[in-house]
Amino acid sequence: MKFELQPILTNEFVTAKPLQHEDFETLYKVASDPQIWEQHPNKDRYKREVFEVFFRGAMESGGAFLVSDTKSRQAIGSSRFCNLDDEKKSVAIGYTFFAKDHWGGTYNHALKTLMINHAFRFVDIIHFHIGAVNIRSQTSIMRLSAKKIGEAEMEYYGEETKLNYIYEIKKEDWYK
């Protein structure tokens, strides 16, 4: 079975649908808050010209989502599947961000659970590359049973290389 990179995923909290070119303004409205990016490797993503590069990378990835609050249908962020490796039966989940009013665990946990459950239909290992200074995301991913397995300088699409911590969840360790 071939990995479906952009299914529609939904639960009571979030709906993730394939990111489209016409979603740029909607997503940029969410991303234009500088506080969202304070702990991210690229702190300037709130700037339109920097976010344009991020968005182009998201579109070219073929695995990006526009994430909305299921109840209000308001756009609240984005995430994506990337680095699919059929040989190693692995994929990465990353580039996730949420509007500040949707911070606090519920929405991120709901989205990651949807994405992890979907991914484990096709792969045995999921990786998360999280900026070394992004304590909020590191804490969040450990709550989902991910384990830190290493560190690496990661090249972001059209951006500088940054130190990331690599976390992993194996299918046999997933409890959902």
Side-chain angles (χ1 to χ4, degrees), residues 1-2 7 18-19 21 46 58 88 105 132-133 142 154 167 172:
M1 192 163 38
K2 184 176 162 79
L19 187 66
H21 287 286
Y46 69 92
K88 293 181 180 175
V133 298
M142 287 187 293
M154 305 291 295
Y167 290 83
E172 65 264 19

Side-chain angles (χ1 to χ4, degrees), residues 96 98 104-110 112 116 128 130 134-146 167 169 175:
T96 306
F98 283 95
T106 301
Y107 295 91
N108 186 47
H109 189 276
K112 293 286 178 21
I116 292 166
F128 304 84
I130 300 174
N134 193 341
I135 306 303
R136 203 169 28 245
S137 291
Q138 292 169 36
T139 301
S140 175
I141 205 62
M142 287 187 293
R143 287 185 183 133
L144 287 167
S145 75
Y167 290 83
I169 298 175
Y175 55 89

Side-chain angles (χ1 to χ4, degrees), residues 23-50:
D23 294 327
F24 177 82
E25 291 299 335
T26 299
L27 192 56
Y28 179 64
K29 185 177 178 185
V30 175
S32 63
D33 179 350
Q35 285 188 304
I36 290 174
W37 307 104
E38 284 178 340
Q39 291 189 23
H40 280 254
N42 188 337
K43 296 177 185 342
D44 290 336
R45 281 199 191 134
Y46 69 92
K47 296 177 181 173
R48 186 178 191 90
E49 64 276 8
V50 178

Side-chain angles (χ1 to χ4, degrees), residues 144-164:
L144 287 167
S145 75
K147 294 178 178 42
K148 184 178 174 189
I149 61 165
E151 300 178 7
E153 292 288 331
M154 305 291 295
E155 185 176 328
Y156 290 88
Y157 180 93
E159 298 176 1
E160 293 180 26
T161 301
K162 303 284 184 174
L163 178 63
N164 277 242

Side-chain angles (χ1 to χ4, degrees), residues 1 13 25 27 67 69 75 80 82 92-93 142 164:
M1 192 163 38
F13 298 105
E25 291 299 335
L27 192 56
V67 180
D69 181 309
R80 69 179 94 155
C82 52
I93 295 174
M142 287 187 293
N164 277 242

